[in-house]
């Protein structure tokens, strides 16, 4: 392992990767007219009726184009293909057009940012689309922006009105009417997510759907437990042999197999549990096949059955469900219609106990960063204990992620995931400092959970994006990720910070920009929250019938795939690469950097114990005579009054906690490059971390990495072996593996029992304490007798090959 000092970075600014305080102007009010008045900023005890008090308010001019009627037809073609055009200064948005329709219904909303309004008049045109030549003008409506009303939610939406169309010069009315609603509003308006935005006027086609803000819900996941008990009358294809039977179960792309029945029989018994992840609505079916191991490389299918998942019972606790017998279809059955009646006369049967587990929480994210721990069944949910509100304000200093018109560009959006709810902000087109100012809210059921936010570059804007490096479709690029653990937040406090967006590249760690957030955790029930701290993290079924470590990893991987597929089918899709990055798909992949980081985390934990032992050793060796005398005095007081020992320990911890209160963290945690060993990582270790699985590197590099891995694993093996040796020596004291050592120890135990029975415990403790604290003049440089005796005890190391 390369020993590199993570502190040695003289060229890097000290706060480059640190969290920064920000002072955004949150909770701006909007009185009539949209002009900020006195007392327009939020104060601690004055909560605005709109929930948008964690973002800076932004003004928009909204235009809802509902429909039109009585439009004139073209004198030549005799038809009308109408569409509406909304124009404000240099910005122009159009609705879709209808063919041969004089009463079209569009119902589209257009939003113009107030900051970029360059005109005092809004014009709405109705035109007739022509295949060749210029579109025909049918009429227009003009609005003076000074007369536009202001709407502040939760006011009801503004009712649209009919307006007569005017001619080109505005001097008279023409045939036809259009229904419109025009108002000034903010991003809190319910029309905001679906609106066409003037900031994205260059986006057309499918890209329009991919830039909108959306809220997604993860599919409801269940564990499907298939208990394969036994089968009857399993007939092999070769009647001269007894089958070696096993069962293969498949749900979608998940395939699991039982072990081969140990006894060769036509009535095999397995009694094995196979667990799958399934999602509502249940689209896949359970396919079971009984197979015969004819040859190590050949299996014959003896029977099969397909069962829909909605026929199975949903259980909420550990009580067993009823088992059922199912008739199997013969493999290849139904090919010849003439054989069908004969096949129906006889069939093999399989005995199953199948249920959908509602008492487990289906893990789809890393257990270290879980955001939800509720069981699947809604009946088992407790009441929420708090509300989490996040204002996604803006990003600063983003790097160019792609080339557009021969220059660097970034089209950034932010995704937040907590519990089953995913949110996605709108995409800000071509900006290195995007401003979103969108606020979202989640119910909190457990404070010991983590919200994850990721920033991505949108590569699906309908402009013929370049394919990914591997030749596949374009992929949204990662800009960075932020995690916030709710238990580190004080209740009812607004945290406004700028978080560094850090990504590990093959060239090293890179700061991609900063994400500005406003976060508030509101406690609804302090009693329930304190009550939770004494209870298990996961539902009780995880402890009554736990899964193995391999099962947890496999099931999490399957759950993550299902979530990625289902969210990828939404409109607009939340793409697979986004979901996988948010759910930490590669957290289990081997990394030399992570191994070193975890090693030094352990060392930092042990450093406290080591420093205490060094301090005690200094006291024993009288390095500081005053400290040693004070320790002696405290020791004698505790020996004389032993009832003070426990109160003194707890009082000492209380005083340490009070002392450390001054140094408590004032901000949520963020990505730490030094803790991750991302700044000091060796280039070859980074190259190894980004290598494919299986590897795509030349043999000599793979051999070098394999040798390095063997050396690291050898050190780990040695440490684990040493720990096992100490434990086995402790066991061998009374196991008579060394008869002389066991004899000496049991004689010592007998003498100690007699002495401790006769001698008061206070005297024994006094003698032992004074012996341990004795002056160096009375100490020998050789190891003590108990240490020598313990090191001579046998371990099982000598029995290993």
């Amino acid at each position: 392992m390369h020993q590199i000092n993570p502190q040695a970075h003289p060229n890097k600014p000290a706060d480059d990767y640190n969290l920064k305080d920000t002072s955004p102007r949150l909770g701006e009010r909007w009185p009539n007219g949209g002009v900020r008045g006195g007392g327009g900023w939020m104060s601690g005890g004055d909560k605005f009726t709109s929930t948008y008090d964690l973002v800076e308010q932004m003004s928009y001019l909204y235009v809802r184009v509902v429909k039109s009627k009585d439009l004139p037809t073209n004198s030549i073609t005799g038809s009308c293909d109408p569409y509406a055009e909304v124009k404000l200064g240099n910005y122009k948005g159009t609705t879709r057009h209808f063919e041969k329709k004089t009463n079209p219904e569009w119902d589209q909303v257009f939003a113009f940012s107030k900051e970029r309004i360059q005109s005092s008049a809004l014009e709405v045109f109705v035109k007739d689309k022509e295949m060749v030549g210029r579109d025909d003008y049918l009429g227009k409506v003009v609005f003076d922006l000074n007369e536009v009303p202001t709407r502040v939610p939760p006011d009801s939406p503004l009712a649209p009105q009919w307006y007569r169309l005017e001619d080109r010069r505005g001097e008279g009315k023409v045939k036809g009417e259009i229904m419109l609603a025009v108002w000034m509003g903010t991003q809190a308006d319910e029309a905001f997510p679906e609106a066409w935005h003037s900031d994205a006027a260059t986006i057309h086609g499918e890209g329009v759907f991919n830039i909108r803000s959306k809220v997604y819900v993860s599919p409801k996941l269940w564990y499907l437990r298939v208990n394969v008990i036994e089968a009857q009358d399993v007939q092999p294809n070769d009647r001269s042999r007894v089958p070696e039977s096993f069962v293969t179960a498949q749900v979608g792309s998940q395939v699991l197999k039982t072990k081969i029945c140990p006894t060769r029989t036509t009535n095999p018994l397995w009694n094995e549990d196979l667990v799958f992840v399934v999602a509502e609505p249940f689209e896949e079916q359970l396919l079971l096949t009984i197979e015969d191991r004819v040859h190590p490389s050949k299996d014959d299918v003896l029977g099969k059955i397909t069962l829909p998942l909605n026929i199975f019972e949903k259980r909420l606790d550990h009580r067993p469900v009823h088992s059922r017998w199912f008739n199997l279809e013969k493999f290849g059955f139904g090919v010849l219609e003439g054989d069908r009646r004969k096949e129906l006369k006889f069939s093999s049967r399989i005995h199953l106990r199948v249920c959908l587990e509602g008492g487990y929480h289906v893990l789809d994210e890393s257990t270290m960063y879980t955001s939800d721990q509720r069981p699947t069944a809604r009946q088992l949910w407790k009441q929420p204990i708090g509300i989490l509100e996040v204002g996604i304000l803006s990003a600063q200093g983003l790097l160019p992620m792609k080339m557009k018109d021969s220059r660097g560009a970034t089209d950034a959006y932010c995704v937040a995931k907590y519990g089953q709810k995913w949110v996605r902000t709108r995409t800000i087109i071509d900006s290195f400092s995007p401003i979103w100012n969108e606020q979202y809210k989640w119910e909190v059921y457990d404070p010991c959970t983590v919200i994850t936010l990721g920033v991505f570059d949108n590569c699906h804007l309908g402009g013929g994006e370049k394919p990914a490096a591997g030749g596949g479709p374009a992929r949204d690029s990662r800009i960075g990720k932020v995690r916030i653990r709710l238990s580190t937040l004080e209740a009812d406090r607004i945290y406004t910070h700028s978080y560094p967006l850090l990504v590990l590249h093959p060239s090293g760690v890179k700061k991609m920009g900063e994400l500005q957030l406003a976060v508030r955790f509101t406690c609804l029930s302090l009693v329930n929250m304190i009550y939770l701290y004494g209870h298990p993290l996961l539902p009780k079924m995880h402890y009554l019938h736990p899964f193995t470590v391999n099962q947890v990893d496999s099931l999490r991987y399957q759950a993550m795939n299902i979530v990625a597929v289902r969210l990828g089918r939404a409109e607009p899709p939340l793409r697979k690469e986004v979901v996988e990055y948010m759910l930490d798909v590669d957290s289990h992949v081997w990394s030399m950097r992570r191994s070193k980081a975890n090693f030094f985390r352990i060392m930092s934990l042990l450093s406290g114990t080591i420093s205490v032992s060094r301090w005690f050793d200094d006291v024993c060796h009288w390095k500081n005579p005053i400290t040693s005398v004070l320790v002696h005095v405290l020791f004698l007081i505790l020996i004389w009054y032993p009832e003070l020992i426990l109160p003194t320990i707890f009082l000492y911890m209380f005083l340490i906690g009070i002392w450390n209160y001054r140094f408590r963290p004032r901000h949520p945690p963020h990505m730490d490059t030094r803790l991750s060993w991302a700044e000091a990582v060796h280039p070859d270790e980074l190259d190894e971390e980004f290598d494919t699985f299986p590897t795509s590197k030349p043999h000599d590099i793979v051999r070098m990495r394999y040798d390095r891995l063997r050396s690291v694993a050898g050190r780990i093996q040695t440490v684990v072996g040493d720990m096992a040796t100490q434990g086995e020596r402790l066991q061998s004291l009374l196991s008579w593996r060394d008869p002389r050592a066991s004899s000496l120890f049991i004689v010592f135990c007998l003498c100690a029992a007699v002495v401790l029975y006769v001698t008061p415990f206070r005297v024994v403790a006094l003698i032992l304490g004074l012996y341990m604290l004795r002056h160096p003049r009375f100490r020998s440089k050789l190891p003590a007798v108990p240490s020598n005796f313990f090191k001579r005890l046998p371990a099982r190391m000598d029995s290993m090959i």
Side-chain angles (χ1 to χ4, degrees), residues 603-616:
M603 293 306 296
S604 67
L605 287 176
L606 296 177
S607 63
T609 307
I610 293 170
S611 60
V612 170
S613 63
R614 284 177 180 168
W615 172 83
F616 186 72

Side-chain angles (χ1 to χ4, degrees), residues 442-517:
W442 289 267
E443 289 182 334
V444 177
Y445 292 85
D446 195 311
C448 301
T449 45
V450 176
I451 180 171
T452 304
L453 301 102
V455 182
F456 302 87
D457 174 49
N458 197 332
C459 294
H460 297 83
L461 301 179
E465 291 80 10
K466 292 182 180 179
R475 295 167 59 89
D476 290 354
S477 306
R478 307 170 178 180
I479 297 179
K481 184 191 292 181
V482 173
R483 296 192 197 98
I484 301 174
R485 186 170 290 274
L486 270 56
S487 58
T488 63
L489 304 177
E490 296 177 15
D492 300 310
R493 174 184 166 188
I494 297 177
Y495 290 83
T496 53
H497 292 97
S498 180
Y499 295 80
L501 295 170
L502 306 175
V503 173
L504 198 65
H505 289 287
S507 57
V509 68
K510 199 170 189 179
K511 182 178 178 182
M512 309 294 288
E514 296 179 353
L515 177 65
Q516 293 186 5
L517 301 174

Side-chain angles (χ1 to χ4, degrees), residues 227-375:
N227 179 217
V228 183
I229 304 172
E230 59 182 330
Q232 283 184 352
D233 303 324
V234 176
Q235 300 297 329
N237 294 336
D238 181 3
R239 298 300 173 95
S240 62
R241 60 184 296 277
V242 183
E244 297 181 50
S245 305
F246 65 94
V247 175
T248 300
Q250 181 174 355
V251 178
S253 60
Q254 307 170 65
V255 180
L256 295 176
K257 298 181 179 182
T258 66
K259 296 175 183 174
I260 295 176
C261 179
T263 56
R264 301 181 69 165
T265 172
T266 56
N267 298 319
L269 175 69
W270 298 283
N271 198 23
E272 282 190 47
D273 273 1
L274 306 176
V275 183
F276 302 88
V277 180
V278 294
E280 286 188 354
F282 301 125
E283 297 177 350
E284 293 88 5
Q285 293 185 319
L286 172 63
L287 172 62
L288 290 166
T289 56
I290 295 184
E291 300 181 36
D292 177 17
R293 178 61 51 85
V294 180
H295 188 270
S297 60
K298 183 186 177 185
D299 298 323
D300 280 352
V301 177
L302 306 183
K304 66 174 183 177
I305 187 171
T306 304
L307 301 170
L309 300 183
N310 52 16
I311 68 170
F312 301 126
E313 183 179 341
K314 298 176 180 177
R315 73 169 182 176
L316 307 182
D317 51 25
H318 60 282
R319 285 176 290 191
V321 298
H322 296 294
S323 60
R324 294 169 62 184
W325 286 94
F326 295 93
N327 291 335
L328 293 171
E329 298 175 7
K330 185 74 174 174
F331 183 66
F333 165 73
V335 176
L336 298 176
E337 192 66 28
D339 295 338
R340 192 161 190 170
R341 293 178 184 175
K342 296 179 183 177
E343 294 288 353
L344 288 174
K345 293 178 182 177
F346 172 82
S347 99
S348 306
R349 300 198 304 165
I350 189 167
H351 193 193
L352 303 173
R353 180 180 285 112
V354 188
C355 65
L356 292 158
E357 298 281 12
Y360 288 89
H361 169 67
V362 182
L363 290 164
D364 62 343
E365 51 198 342
S366 174
T367 51
M368 295 295 101
Y369 317 121
T370 182
S371 63
D372 188 15
Q373 291 147 352
R374 290 170 293 168

Side-chain angles (χ1 to χ4, degrees), residues 403-465:
M403 296 302 293
K404 186 187 291 184
D405 299 329
S406 302
R407 60 182 179 82
T410 298
D411 306 312
Y413 66 92
C414 182
V415 175
K417 195 264 182 191
Y418 183 79
Q420 296 179 349
K421 179 179 174 182
W422 299 67
V423 300
R424 166 181 173 162
T425 67
R426 69 193 189 284
T427 300
I428 305 298
I429 304 299
D430 200 7
S431 174
F432 299 133
S433 299
I435 298 175
W436 293 290
N437 278 323
E438 297 183 26
Q439 182 170 334
Y440 298 96
K441 181 168 69 174
W442 289 267
E443 289 182 334
V444 177
Y445 292 85
D446 195 311
C448 301
T449 45
V450 176
I451 180 171
T452 304
L453 301 102
V455 182
F456 302 87
D457 174 49
N458 197 332
C459 294
H460 297 83
L461 301 179
E465 291 80 10

Side-chain angles (χ1 to χ4, degrees), residues 724-725 728-729 731-732 737 794-801:
T725 296
E728 289 169 357
R729 283 175 175 166
Q731 281 184 333
S732 66
R737 290 200 66 203
R796 303 180 68 181
M797 199 73 181
D798 49 355
S799 300
M800 289 186 64
I801 297 175

